[in-house]
Amino acid sequence: VYDPVAQTARLEASYGSAPAVVGSLGGTTQPLAGGRTLVSFGNGGRVEEYDAAGTVLWRIESPGYVFRAQRIRSLYIPGTASPRI
């Protein structure tokens, strides 16, 4: 979190996975309902969703750069695999 008045930054959260992934370029995070977070590791080629405790719920691995990942509610159908959030 950046404070423009004090010109300081504070780490709000940190996500790491096993096996380790390093993304040195790009990447995004998206807060989700229930304390979940969706993380794209940019050129690390991985997207993971974490629960509120920091446990990986699922992951997608890609051989390339993942500019942005977003959970889009309209793509999830009620009653299949996981609930709409």
Side-chain angles (χ1 to χ4, degrees):
V1 177
Y2 177 67
D3 179 344
V5 175
Q7 294 186 358
T8 59
R10 177 179 50 84
L11 180 64
E12 188 170 292
S14 177
Y15 300 93
S17 65
V21 62
V22 176
S24 58
L25 176 67
T28 59
T29 60
Q30 178 188 16
L32 302 170
R36 295 181 186 192
T37 304
L38 185 68
V39 179
S40 163
F41 289 93
N43 69 340
R46 191 180 297 166
V47 177
E48 295 179 336
E49 184 175 321
Y50 295 85
D51 67 11
T55 302
V56 175
L57 300 174
W58 61 265
R59 83 170 33 116
I60 297 172
E61 296 198 43
S62 165
Y65 179 69
V66 180
F67 174 72
R68 178 183 301 140
Q70 289 184 304
R71 197 87 187 267
I72 302 172
R73 183 179 176 149
S74 64
L75 296 179
Y76 298 90
I77 302 169
T80 62
S82 57
R84 286 181 86 164
I85 53 176

mmCIF file of all heavy atoms in Angstrom, residues 11-56:
data_model
loop_
_atom_site.group_PDB
_atom_site.id
_atom_site.type_symbol
_atom_site.label_atom_id
_atom_site.label_comp_id
_atom_site.label_asym_id
_atom_site.label_seq_id
_atom_site.Cartn_x
_atom_site.Cartn_y
_atom_site.Cartn_z
ATOM 1 N N LEU A 11 4.213 -3.440 2.495
ATOM 2 C CA LEU A 11 3.811 -4.727 1.939
ATOM 3 C C LEU A 11 2.525 -5.172 2.611
ATOM 4 O O LEU A 11 2.455 -5.267 3.836
ATOM 5 C CB LEU A 11 4.903 -5.778 2.162
ATOM 6 C CG LEU A 11 4.615 -7.174 1.626
ATOM 7 C CD1 LEU A 11 4.491 -7.158 0.104
ATOM 8 C CD2 LEU A 11 5.727 -8.131 2.059
ATOM 9 N N GLU A 12 1.499 -5.420 1.811
ATOM 10 C CA GLU A 12 0.211 -5.817 2.355
ATOM 11 C C GLU A 12 0.052 -7.323 2.404
ATOM 12 O O GLU A 12 -0.554 -7.870 3.305
ATOM 13 C CB GLU A 12 -0.913 -5.206 1.519
ATOM 14 C CG GLU A 12 -2.277 -5.413 2.117
ATOM 15 C CD GLU A 12 -3.321 -4.592 1.389
ATOM 16 O OE1 GLU A 12 -3.289 -3.361 1.484
ATOM 17 O OE2 GLU A 12 -4.160 -5.213 0.716
ATOM 18 N N ALA A 13 0.578 -8.025 1.412
ATOM 19 C CA ALA A 13 0.484 -9.482 1.374
ATOM 20 C C ALA A 13 1.609 -10.018 0.500
ATOM 21 O O ALA A 13 2.138 -9.318 -0.353
ATOM 22 C CB ALA A 13 -0.861 -9.922 0.822
ATOM 23 N N SER A 14 1.949 -11.268 0.715
ATOM 24 C CA SER A 14 2.982 -11.925 -0.069
ATOM 25 C C SER A 14 2.513 -13.341 -0.383
ATOM 26 O O SER A 14 1.974 -14.021 0.497
ATOM 27 C CB SER A 14 4.288 -11.968 0.737
ATOM 28 O OG SER A 14 5.281 -12.653 0.020
ATOM 29 N N TYR A 15 2.681 -13.765 -1.636
ATOM 30 C CA TYR A 15 2.228 -15.081 -2.049
ATOM 31 C C TYR A 15 3.390 -15.852 -2.637
ATOM 32 O O TYR A 15 4.095 -15.358 -3.496
ATOM 33 C CB TYR A 15 1.094 -14.969 -3.083
ATOM 34 C CG TYR A 15 -0.092 -14.238 -2.537
ATOM 35 C CD1 TYR A 15 -0.234 -12.881 -2.707
ATOM 36 C CD2 TYR A 15 -1.049 -14.919 -1.799
ATOM 37 C CE1 TYR A 15 -1.321 -12.203 -2.181
ATOM 38 C CE2 TYR A 15 -2.137 -14.251 -1.263
ATOM 39 C CZ TYR A 15 -2.259 -12.890 -1.458
ATOM 40 O OH TYR A 15 -3.331 -12.230 -0.921
ATOM 41 N N GLY A 16 3.585 -17.051 -2.153
ATOM 42 C CA GLY A 16 4.624 -17.925 -2.677
ATOM 43 C C GLY A 16 4.037 -19.302 -2.868
ATOM 44 O O GLY A 16 3.085 -19.687 -2.204
ATOM 45 N N SER A 17 4.582 -20.049 -3.811
ATOM 46 C CA SER A 17 4.012 -21.357 -4.083
ATOM 47 C C SER A 17 5.103 -22.410 -4.159
ATOM 48 O O SER A 17 6.276 -22.105 -4.255
ATOM 49 C CB SER A 17 3.212 -21.324 -5.384
ATOM 50 O OG SER A 17 4.066 -21.071 -6.470
ATOM 51 N N ALA A 18 4.680 -23.647 -4.124
ATOM 52 C CA ALA A 18 5.598 -24.777 -4.256
ATOM 53 C C ALA A 18 5.083 -25.643 -5.395
ATOM 54 O O ALA A 18 3.919 -26.043 -5.360
ATOM 55 C CB ALA A 18 5.654 -25.577 -2.959
ATOM 56 N N PRO A 19 5.884 -25.898 -6.405
ATOM 57 C CA PRO A 19 7.263 -25.442 -6.545
ATOM 58 C C PRO A 19 7.323 -23.929 -6.764
ATOM 59 O O PRO A 19 6.370 -23.318 -7.239
ATOM 60 C CB PRO A 19 7.765 -26.186 -7.778
ATOM 61 C CG PRO A 19 6.551 -26.470 -8.581
ATOM 62 C CD PRO A 19 5.433 -26.656 -7.590
ATOM 63 N N ALA A 20 8.471 -23.360 -6.408
ATOM 64 C CA ALA A 20 8.639 -21.912 -6.486
ATOM 65 C C ALA A 20 8.503 -21.413 -7.916
ATOM 66 O O ALA A 20 8.814 -22.112 -8.870
ATOM 67 C CB ALA A 20 10.006 -21.533 -5.931
ATOM 68 N N VAL A 21 8.009 -20.201 -8.026
ATOM 69 C CA VAL A 21 7.904 -19.533 -9.327
ATOM 70 C C VAL A 21 8.438 -18.116 -9.155
ATOM 71 O O VAL A 21 8.243 -17.496 -8.113
ATOM 72 C CB VAL A 21 6.442 -19.520 -9.851
ATOM 73 C CG1 VAL A 21 5.541 -18.773 -8.931
ATOM 74 C CG2 VAL A 21 6.374 -18.938 -11.243
ATOM 75 N N VAL A 22 9.164 -17.646 -10.156
ATOM 76 C CA VAL A 22 9.690 -16.292 -10.121
ATOM 77 C C VAL A 22 9.124 -15.535 -11.311
ATOM 78 O O VAL A 22 9.253 -15.978 -12.446
ATOM 79 C CB VAL A 22 11.232 -16.280 -10.190
ATOM 80 C CG1 VAL A 22 11.754 -14.852 -10.264
ATOM 81 C CG2 VAL A 22 11.813 -17.000 -8.997
ATOM 82 N N GLY A 23 8.497 -14.428 -11.024
ATOM 83 C CA GLY A 23 7.994 -13.549 -12.076
ATOM 84 C C GLY A 23 8.718 -12.219 -11.961
ATOM 85 O O GLY A 23 8.458 -11.463 -11.037
ATOM 86 N N SER A 24 9.641 -11.950 -12.845
ATOM 87 C CA SER A 24 10.415 -10.717 -12.761
ATOM 88 C C SER A 24 9.836 -9.592 -13.610
ATOM 89 O O SER A 24 10.323 -8.473 -13.583
ATOM 90 C CB SER A 24 11.868 -10.977 -13.172
ATOM 91 O OG SER A 24 11.920 -11.504 -14.490
ATOM 92 N N LEU A 25 8.782 -9.892 -14.374
ATOM 93 C CA LEU A 25 8.171 -8.889 -15.235
ATOM 94 C C LEU A 25 6.662 -9.090 -15.248
ATOM 95 O O LEU A 25 6.174 -10.174 -15.575
ATOM 96 C CB LEU A 25 8.716 -9.017 -16.667
ATOM 97 C CG LEU A 25 8.101 -8.108 -17.719
ATOM 98 C CD1 LEU A 25 8.461 -6.654 -17.415
ATOM 99 C CD2 LEU A 25 8.615 -8.491 -19.094
ATOM 100 N N GLY A 26 5.935 -8.056 -14.867
ATOM 101 C CA GLY A 26 4.474 -8.108 -14.934
ATOM 102 C C GLY A 26 3.851 -8.884 -13.797
ATOM 103 O O GLY A 26 4.467 -9.149 -12.778
ATOM 104 N N GLY A 27 2.594 -9.243 -14.013
ATOM 105 C CA GLY A 27 1.833 -9.950 -13.001
ATOM 106 C C GLY A 27 0.773 -9.057 -12.397
ATOM 107 O O GLY A 27 0.875 -7.830 -12.435
ATOM 108 N N THR A 28 -0.272 -9.674 -11.859
ATOM 109 C CA THR A 28 -1.370 -8.932 -11.258
ATOM 110 C C THR A 28 -1.933 -9.705 -10.076
ATOM 111 O O THR A 28 -1.665 -10.895 -9.919
ATOM 112 C CB THR A 28 -2.533 -8.720 -12.259
ATOM 113 O OG1 THR A 28 -3.004 -10.002 -12.699
ATOM 114 C CG2 THR A 28 -2.109 -7.894 -13.451
ATOM 115 N N THR A 29 -2.706 -9.017 -9.255
ATOM 116 C CA THR A 29 -3.480 -9.673 -8.204
ATOM 117 C C THR A 29 -4.916 -9.181 -8.308
ATOM 118 O O THR A 29 -5.169 -8.065 -8.754
ATOM 119 C CB THR A 29 -2.950 -9.371 -6.790
ATOM 120 O OG1 THR A 29 -3.012 -7.969 -6.557
ATOM 121 C CG2 THR A 29 -1.532 -9.876 -6.610
ATOM 122 N N GLN A 30 -5.849 -10.038 -7.903
ATOM 123 C CA GLN A 30 -7.258 -9.662 -7.881
ATOM 124 C C GLN A 30 -7.860 -10.187 -6.586
ATOM 125 O O GLN A 30 -7.897 -11.402 -6.369
ATOM 126 C CB GLN A 30 -8.005 -10.256 -9.073
ATOM 127 C CG GLN A 30 -9.486 -9.923 -9.070
ATOM 128 C CD GLN A 30 -10.264 -10.674 -10.154
ATOM 129 O OE1 GLN A 30 -9.786 -11.638 -10.721
ATOM 130 N NE2 GLN A 30 -11.472 -10.216 -10.420
ATOM 131 N N PRO A 31 -8.322 -9.299 -5.700
ATOM 132 C CA PRO A 31 -9.003 -9.762 -4.494
ATOM 133 C C PRO A 31 -10.358 -10.359 -4.867
ATOM 134 O O PRO A 31 -11.057 -9.831 -5.736
ATOM 135 C CB PRO A 31 -9.163 -8.498 -3.646
ATOM 136 C CG PRO A 31 -8.998 -7.357 -4.588
ATOM 137 C CD PRO A 31 -8.228 -7.850 -5.773
ATOM 138 N N LEU A 32 -10.699 -11.467 -4.227
ATOM 139 C CA LEU A 32 -11.963 -12.150 -4.481
ATOM 140 C C LEU A 32 -12.754 -12.253 -3.181
ATOM 141 O O LEU A 32 -12.226 -11.983 -2.100
ATOM 142 C CB LEU A 32 -11.706 -13.551 -5.048
ATOM 143 C CG LEU A 32 -10.890 -13.623 -6.339
ATOM 144 C CD1 LEU A 32 -10.516 -15.066 -6.652
ATOM 145 C CD2 LEU A 32 -11.653 -13.000 -7.493
ATOM 146 N N ALA A 33 -13.985 -12.687 -3.275
ATOM 147 C CA ALA A 33 -14.837 -12.849 -2.096
ATOM 148 C C ALA A 33 -14.229 -13.865 -1.128
ATOM 149 O O ALA A 33 -13.502 -14.773 -1.531
ATOM 150 C CB ALA A 33 -16.225 -13.314 -2.534
ATOM 151 N N GLY A 34 -14.537 -13.711 0.134
ATOM 152 C CA GLY A 34 -14.114 -14.674 1.148
ATOM 153 C C GLY A 34 -12.628 -14.647 1.457
ATOM 154 O O GLY A 34 -12.075 -15.610 1.965
ATOM 155 N N GLY A 35 -11.944 -13.547 1.134
ATOM 156 C CA GLY A 35 -10.523 -13.437 1.427
ATOM 157 C C GLY A 35 -9.622 -14.137 0.422
ATOM 158 O O GLY A 35 -8.420 -14.229 0.624
ATOM 159 N N ARG A 36 -10.188 -14.640 -0.663
ATOM 160 C CA ARG A 36 -9.381 -15.287 -1.694
ATOM 161 C C ARG A 36 -8.665 -14.240 -2.539
ATOM 162 O O ARG A 36 -9.104 -13.097 -2.628
ATOM 163 C CB ARG A 36 -10.244 -16.137 -2.613
ATOM 164 C CG ARG A 36 -10.888 -17.310 -1.943
ATOM 165 C CD ARG A 36 -11.680 -18.064 -2.954
ATOM 166 N NE ARG A 36 -12.445 -19.134 -2.354
ATOM 167 C CZ ARG A 36 -13.029 -20.068 -3.056
ATOM 168 N NH1 ARG A 36 -12.955 -20.078 -4.363
ATOM 169 N NH2 ARG A 36 -13.705 -21.014 -2.449
ATOM 170 N N THR A 37 -7.581 -14.661 -3.187
ATOM 171 C CA THR A 37 -6.824 -13.774 -4.056
ATOM 172 C C THR A 37 -6.357 -14.549 -5.278
ATOM 173 O O THR A 37 -5.844 -15.661 -5.160
ATOM 174 C CB THR A 37 -5.588 -13.197 -3.333
ATOM 175 O OG1 THR A 37 -6.019 -12.547 -2.137
ATOM 176 C CG2 THR A 37 -4.844 -12.200 -4.193
ATOM 177 N N LEU A 38 -6.519 -13.941 -6.454
ATOM 178 C CA LEU A 38 -6.033 -14.513 -7.700
ATOM 179 C C LEU A 38 -4.726 -13.807 -8.044
ATOM 180 O O LEU A 38 -4.665 -12.577 -8.039
ATOM 181 C CB LEU A 38 -7.060 -14.295 -8.819
ATOM 182 C CG LEU A 38 -6.731 -14.942 -10.158
ATOM 183 C CD1 LEU A 38 -6.791 -16.466 -10.050
ATOM 184 C CD2 LEU A 38 -7.694 -14.453 -11.224
ATOM 185 N N VAL A 39 -3.669 -14.584 -8.312
ATOM 186 C CA VAL A 39 -2.345 -14.017 -8.582
ATOM 187 C C VAL A 39 -1.834 -14.514 -9.920
ATOM 188 O O VAL A 39 -1.799 -15.719 -10.172
ATOM 189 C CB VAL A 39 -1.332 -14.405 -7.471
ATOM 190 C CG1 VAL A 39 0.049 -13.837 -7.782
ATOM 191 C CG2 VAL A 39 -1.811 -13.931 -6.112
ATOM 192 N N SER A 40 -1.414 -13.579 -10.767
ATOM 193 C CA SER A 40 -0.741 -13.895 -12.021
ATOM 194 C C SER A 40 0.727 -13.547 -11.832
ATOM 195 O O SER A 40 1.057 -12.442 -11.405
ATOM 196 C CB SER A 40 -1.326 -13.055 -13.160
ATOM 197 O OG SER A 40 -0.461 -13.054 -14.263
ATOM 198 N N PHE A 41 1.625 -14.485 -12.138
ATOM 199 C CA PHE A 41 3.051 -14.275 -11.933
ATOM 200 C C PHE A 41 3.769 -13.766 -13.183
ATOM 201 O O PHE A 41 4.959 -13.977 -13.347
ATOM 202 C CB PHE A 41 3.699 -15.564 -11.432
ATOM 203 C CG PHE A 41 3.327 -15.899 -10.014
ATOM 204 C CD1 PHE A 41 2.259 -16.730 -9.752
ATOM 205 C CD2 PHE A 41 4.031 -15.374 -8.955
ATOM 206 C CE1 PHE A 41 1.898 -17.045 -8.449
ATOM 207 C CE2 PHE A 41 3.690 -15.678 -7.641
ATOM 208 C CZ PHE A 41 2.612 -16.520 -7.393
ATOM 209 N N GLY A 42 3.055 -13.100 -14.084
ATOM 210 C CA GLY A 42 3.672 -12.469 -15.247
ATOM 211 C C GLY A 42 4.491 -13.433 -16.088
ATOM 212 O O GLY A 42 3.990 -14.456 -16.546
ATOM 213 N N ASN A 43 5.782 -13.109 -16.262
ATOM 214 C CA ASN A 43 6.622 -13.972 -17.090
ATOM 215 C C ASN A 43 7.018 -15.268 -16.385
ATOM 216 O O ASN A 43 7.723 -16.093 -16.963
ATOM 217 C CB ASN A 43 7.856 -13.223 -17.603
ATOM 218 C CG ASN A 43 8.841 -12.877 -16.514
ATOM 219 O OD1 ASN A 43 8.501 -12.842 -15.337
ATOM 220 N ND2 ASN A 43 10.060 -12.592 -16.900
ATOM 221 N N GLY A 44 6.530 -15.480 -15.170
ATOM 222 C CA GLY A 44 6.723 -16.758 -14.482
ATOM 223 C C GLY A 44 5.785 -17.830 -15.025
ATOM 224 O O GLY A 44 5.926 -19.004 -14.717
ATOM 225 N N GLY A 45 4.804 -17.416 -15.846
ATOM 226 C CA GLY A 45 3.938 -18.354 -16.544
ATOM 227 C C GLY A 45 2.983 -19.143 -15.666
ATOM 228 O O GLY A 45 2.621 -20.264 -15.984
ATOM 229 N N ARG A 46 2.547 -18.563 -14.576
ATOM 230 C CA ARG A 46 1.646 -19.289 -13.685
ATOM 231 C C ARG A 46 0.574 -18.357 -13.134
ATOM 232 O O ARG A 46 0.829 -17.181 -12.892
ATOM 233 C CB ARG A 46 2.425 -19.894 -12.521
ATOM 234 C CG ARG A 46 1.595 -20.881 -11.716
ATOM 235 C CD ARG A 46 2.349 -21.484 -10.557
ATOM 236 N NE ARG A 46 3.486 -22.266 -11.007
ATOM 237 C CZ ARG A 46 4.461 -22.678 -10.187
ATOM 238 N NH1 ARG A 46 4.433 -22.365 -8.922
ATOM 239 N NH2 ARG A 46 5.469 -23.385 -10.654
ATOM 240 N N VAL A 47 -0.619 -18.903 -12.923
ATOM 241 C CA VAL A 47 -1.717 -18.203 -12.255
ATOM 242 C C VAL A 47 -2.189 -19.115 -11.134
ATOM 243 O O VAL A 47 -2.374 -20.314 -11.340
ATOM 244 C CB VAL A 47 -2.884 -17.924 -13.234
ATOM 245 C CG1 VAL A 47 -4.043 -17.267 -12.504
ATOM 246 C CG2 VAL A 47 -2.419 -17.077 -14.406
ATOM 247 N N GLU A 48 -2.367 -18.552 -9.947
ATOM 248 C CA GLU A 48 -2.823 -19.340 -8.797
ATOM 249 C C GLU A 48 -3.897 -18.575 -8.033
ATOM 250 O O GLU A 48 -3.883 -17.354 -7.989
ATOM 251 C CB GLU A 48 -1.661 -19.644 -7.850
ATOM 252 C CG GLU A 48 -0.624 -20.532 -8.481
ATOM 253 C CD GLU A 48 0.555 -20.843 -7.584
ATOM 254 O OE1 GLU A 48 0.844 -20.076 -6.651
ATOM 255 O OE2 GLU A 48 1.185 -21.870 -7.831
ATOM 256 N N GLU A 49 -4.802 -19.334 -7.428
ATOM 257 C CA GLU A 49 -5.790 -18.734 -6.543
ATOM 258 C C GLU A 49 -5.504 -19.230 -5.132
ATOM 259 O O GLU A 49 -5.318 -20.425 -4.906
ATOM 260 C CB GLU A 49 -7.219 -19.116 -6.939
ATOM 261 C CG GLU A 49 -8.249 -18.420 -6.073
ATOM 262 C CD GLU A 49 -9.674 -18.689 -6.507
ATOM 263 O OE1 GLU A 49 -9.932 -18.727 -7.723
ATOM 264 O OE2 GLU A 49 -10.520 -18.875 -5.614
ATOM 265 N N TYR A 50 -5.453 -18.285 -4.189
ATOM 266 C CA TYR A 50 -5.153 -18.578 -2.792
ATOM 267 C C TYR A 50 -6.384 -18.336 -1.934
ATOM 268 O O TYR A 50 -7.159 -17.427 -2.204
ATOM 269 C CB TYR A 50 -4.036 -17.663 -2.276
ATOM 270 C CG TYR A 50 -2.710 -17.878 -2.948
ATOM 271 C CD1 TYR A 50 -2.412 -17.251 -4.143
ATOM 272 C CD2 TYR A 50 -1.751 -18.706 -2.388
ATOM 273 C CE1 TYR A 50 -1.188 -17.442 -4.767
ATOM 274 C CE2 TYR A 50 -0.527 -18.900 -3.004
ATOM 275 C CZ TYR A 50 -0.255 -18.260 -4.192
ATOM 276 O OH TYR A 50 0.954 -18.446 -4.808
ATOM 277 N N ASP A 51 -6.517 -19.134 -0.868
ATOM 278 C CA ASP A 51 -7.575 -18.847 0.099
ATOM 279 C C ASP A 51 -7.051 -17.815 1.095
ATOM 280 O O ASP A 51 -5.911 -17.356 0.992
ATOM 281 C CB ASP A 51 -8.081 -20.123 0.773
ATOM 282 C CG ASP A 51 -7.065 -20.802 1.676
ATOM 283 O OD1 ASP A 51 -5.996 -20.212 1.975
ATOM 284 O OD2 ASP A 51 -7.334 -21.940 2.089
ATOM 285 N N ALA A 52 -7.875 -17.454 2.069
ATOM 286 C CA ALA A 52 -7.513 -16.420 3.038
ATOM 287 C C ALA A 52 -6.293 -16.788 3.879
ATOM 288 O O ALA A 52 -5.579 -15.916 4.364
ATOM 289 C CB ALA A 52 -8.700 -16.117 3.944
ATOM 290 N N ALA A 53 -6.014 -18.087 4.024
ATOM 291 C CA ALA A 53 -4.856 -18.536 4.802
ATOM 292 C C ALA A 53 -3.587 -18.630 3.962
ATOM 293 O O ALA A 53 -2.523 -18.945 4.478
ATOM 294 C CB ALA A 53 -5.153 -19.894 5.438
ATOM 295 N N GLY A 54 -3.693 -18.368 2.646
ATOM 296 C CA GLY A 54 -2.519 -18.434 1.776
ATOM 297 C C GLY A 54 -2.293 -19.787 1.132
ATOM 298 O O GLY A 54 -1.255 -20.019 0.517
ATOM 299 N N THR A 55 -3.266 -20.691 1.237
ATOM 300 C CA THR A 55 -3.164 -22.020 0.626
ATOM 301 C C THR A 55 -3.581 -21.938 -0.837
ATOM 302 O O THR A 55 -4.590 -21.315 -1.167
ATOM 303 C CB THR A 55 -4.084 -23.018 1.359
ATOM 304 O OG1 THR A 55 -3.715 -23.044 2.739
ATOM 305 C CG2 THR A 55 -3.984 -24.406 0.769
ATOM 306 N N VAL A 56 -2.804 -22.579 -1.717
ATOM 307 C CA VAL A 56 -3.144 -22.592 -3.137
ATOM 308 C C VAL A 56 -4.370 -23.476 -3.350
ATOM 309 O O VAL A 56 -4.375 -24.644 -2.971
ATOM 310 C CB VAL A 56 -1.970 -23.119 -3.996
ATOM 311 C CG1 VAL A 56 -2.381 -23.237 -5.458
ATOM 312 C CG2 VAL A 56 -0.758 -22.219 -3.855
#
